[in-house]
Amino acid sequence: MYFAALLARTEDGWEASDTELDDVETLSDLTDLAREASVDEDTVLVFIEQEDAWFGVVRVDGEEDPRIFVSDATAAARSSYGEILLTDELLGREPGADDTIAALEELVGLDGTEDGEPDITPDNDNDDDDDDELDADAVPAGPIGDTGILADLGLPEAELLMLRTDALVEIADALGAAEVLETVR
């Protein structure tokens, strides 16, 4: 079960609205959605939560690049909405690396042979292999992103990192927006 909401900062405080992410396919789409909710290019927070698994916060301040925090990258990677937040930049990958890898796999094939080449695979069952090496495309376990994303709004980094269940409620409470968030929950 997912929950997504926008919190837009206004002169009078925070305004909340629930949001559907069905048409959101990229971080750019999500950022555009947040900017549409902005009043005078003020701060907009996008909350995404998968019940008892992970939560993410995207902060959009005017035309600046979005800032992202994800509570559990591994759990988010298994979610279509989480994949939106786990950008190459956030994961420390070269942009487009997945496209390059996919193109190479298509040329060579998944078995590592070129088209028409026989599949001659040596039988190496040695325990000395470097199986413990991390895959370059692996998603790190635990929190990832900008831990100071909400520090200037009243939620220090250390407290953000300690949040687990009901995280969005606790974040909204720290921001003084618990009542408005509750109206869309």
Side-chain angles (χ1 to χ4, degrees), residues 4-38:
L6 295 170
L7 274 183
R9 191 180 214 181
T10 68
E11 289 179 9
D12 301 325
W14 292 96
E15 290 181 7
S17 59
D18 60 343
T19 187
E20 288 294 322
L21 299 178
D22 294 340
D23 296 330
V24 174
E25 295 179 6
T26 65
L27 180 60
S28 181
D29 293 343
L30 190 61
T31 303
D32 291 344
L33 185 68
R35 286 190 177 121
E36 289 172 13
S38 176

Side-chain angles (χ1 to χ4, degrees), residues 25 29-30 45 65 69 73 75 81 98 104 117 125 130 161:
E25 295 179 6
D29 293 343
L30 190 61
L45 301 174
D65 288 342
F69 174 78
Y81 295 133
D98 289 340
L104 290 172
E117 221 178 84
D125 288 336
D130 291 333
L161 290 170

Side-chain angles (χ1 to χ4, degrees), residues 24-108:
V24 174
E25 295 179 6
T26 65
L27 180 60
S28 181
D29 293 343
L30 190 61
T31 303
D32 291 344
L33 185 68
R35 286 190 177 121
E36 289 172 13
S38 176
V39 177
D40 297 327
E41 296 189 3
D42 282 332
T43 299
V44 176
L45 301 174
V46 180
F47 291 150
I48 301 173
E49 178 181 60
Q50 183 179 3
E51 193 172 295
D52 297 329
W54 66 276
F55 70 90
V57 179
V58 178
R59 178 176 177 166
V60 178
D61 293 300
E63 291 300 316
E64 292 180 28
D65 288 342
R67 296 167 59 190
I68 304 166
F69 174 78
V70 177
S71 67
D72 186 336
T74 305
R78 294 186 295 263
S79 155
S80 59
Y81 295 133
E83 287 179 346
I84 292 170
L85 303 181
L86 298 175
T87 63
D88 287 338
E89 182 180 343
L90 190 67
L91 295 171
R93 296 180 187 158
E94 281 292 317
D98 289 340
D99 297 336
T100 303
I101 291 168
L104 290 172
E105 286 176 346
E106 189 174 310
L107 284 175
V108 176

